[in-house]
Amino acid sequence: MKKPDLLILIAIWQFITAFGALIGIAAIAVFAFPAVTGYWDSSWSGMGWRNGTMGAVFGLSVGILFLLCFLAFAVAGGIGLMLNRGREWARIISIVHSALSLFFIPIGTIIGTLSIIYLVKQDVRDYFNPPP
């Protein structure tokens, strides 16, 4: 069976969003963490974190964890769609990636919606699950 045409575009979208997630991780690591941890009070009288700093570090850590998971979904889905043989796991991961892309308003919402609609079409499903 011939590979559906728009799978390459969806894979390219996944690689673009993976690169964006990588930039987000780098920005948090380079700019946000040093700014937050610069509030460490090293005086003898007040050893410890200042108010709100621990919450900020936790929030940034959760943000990095979310971006790492998103990056993993994007790369795995993109590689799976680029393979010559259709794999069902690639379609499922791509649907999850498209669902997560819905939160990136407005471009991610539009492209994520169109990707989900395309990935659940019958001819695309048949490519990933060929009849025996």
Side-chain angles (χ1 to χ4, degrees):
M1 177 175 235
K2 182 183 175 289
K3 181 185 277 193
D5 297 329
L6 295 179
L7 289 181
I8 301 298
L9 290 177
I10 294 173
I12 290 171
W13 166 250
Q14 290 178 338
F15 291 134
I16 289 171
T17 58
F19 182 70
L22 189 64
I23 289 175
I25 292 168
I28 291 173
V30 170
F31 298 114
F33 268 126
V36 169
T37 58
Y39 289 109
W40 177 261
D41 187 7
S42 60
S43 67
W44 289 104
S45 61
M47 290 294 282
W49 296 97
R50 289 191 183 171
N51 292 337
T53 304
M54 188 62 77
V57 169
F58 177 74
L60 290 174
S61 300
V62 169
I64 284 182
L65 181 64
F66 173 77
L67 287 174
L68 281 172
C69 292
F70 185 77
L71 178 92
F73 274 112
V75 170
I79 290 173
L81 290 181
M82 295 292 259
L83 294 176
N84 290 334
R85 298 174 305 266
R87 304 281 187 198
E88 180 64 15
W89 61 265
R91 187 179 78 87
I92 292 170
I93 288 176
S94 297
I95 291 172
V96 170
H97 174 267
S98 297
L100 291 174
S101 294
L102 295 175
F103 294 107
F104 301 122
I105 300 170
I107 301 298
T109 304
I110 295 167
I111 296 176
T113 303
L114 294 174
S115 296
I116 291 172
I117 290 170
Y118 186 73
L119 289 169
V120 298
K121 285 176 57 176
Q122 187 61 43
D123 60 334
V124 176
R125 273 193 277 157
D126 289 342
Y127 172 73
F128 288 101
N129 289 323

